[in-house]
Amino acid sequence: MTENKLIFHLSDIHFGLEDNSALDWVKAEITERRPDAVAITGDLTMRARHREFDAACRWIKSLDAPVTVEVGNHDLPYFNPIERFFDPYKRIRSISDKVERELDLPGLAVVPLKTVRRWQPRLNWSKGWITDAALERCLKALDALPAGVRALVTVHHPLREVGTQGTALTKHGQSALNELAQRPVLAVLSGHVHDAFDIMEETVHGRIRMIGAGTLSQRVRSTPPSFNELTWDGENLEVLVRNLEDVNTRDMMIGDVPENAMPPREPGEPVAPVGNVPRTDPPVH
């Protein structure tokens, strides 16, 4: 019998506008529960400032568990275009051993897939874009897994393509889902939306599960700060949304990925405000 694996899925910490009570709570949970892995799916900071990364890296290094970190769109330098284009990960070198790191557990692997780009041939660079090289690295890692090992793929942006090609959330996201559906992938873990979800996506090669984590920052959307607690028993992957206000898990989940997929703006942020997404029950798997 396979021993249960416990994975904590965190996202959108946004140091610079972090929620310290939420961070203290999650760190205490990690210390007490000792998860087999912690997956952080991007947006460690608000504006990729040095002081924000310093605080984020200190917090991440203090976690008593194996950690893998995805980079989010908020983690590429905003105010230094030279650094953005030529050395975008410079400010997170102190946790370079955790960034886009594959974690191999008995019977289960956590495999990264990068969805951010230094630039895009469209005006909104906050949206996801999967390059051929990034997808190839992910698929190569999945294809190299021993027989019988299942995988969780970590991304920042949900891979669902929504709207027209020009407004799609993640460019080449549907192509990536088609490829992942042909491999032993339990689910694709993402962030960016600031609300939790658990949905099944249809592809030409079958269904694939998409699981999103909420935020641990003050930039909440329609639900309080939260993280996902994943349990894998060798056959079933269970998702429990944990939150500070003791809201029931099903009430914490939105039923679909919103087309804009953006949290509400912070004071002074030059982005149009986004309304709350209605909470609906996700499909039962």
Side-chain angles (χ1 to χ4, degrees), residues 155-168:
V155 299
H156 176 60
H157 300 84
L159 301 188
R160 159 79 62 78
E161 293 278 7
V162 291
T164 65
Q165 183 175 6
T167 61

Side-chain angles (χ1 to χ4, degrees), residues 123-167:
L123 292 177
N124 191 344
W125 291 5
S126 72
K127 296 183 179 182
W129 189 298
I130 300 174
T131 64
D132 291 342
L135 181 59
E136 183 180 354
R137 285 194 298 271
C138 177
L139 298 180
K140 184 177 180 180
L142 291 171
D143 292 339
L145 295 176
V149 174
R150 306 295 296 276
L152 297 169
V153 173
T154 53
V155 299
H156 176 60
H157 300 84
L159 301 188
R160 159 79 62 78
E161 293 278 7
V162 291
T164 65
Q165 183 175 6
T167 61

Side-chain angles (χ1 to χ4, degrees), residues 1 78 87 93 109 134 181 197 246:
M1 179 178 295
Y78 269 66
D87 198 359
R93 282 180 182 158
F197 61 83
D246 295 324

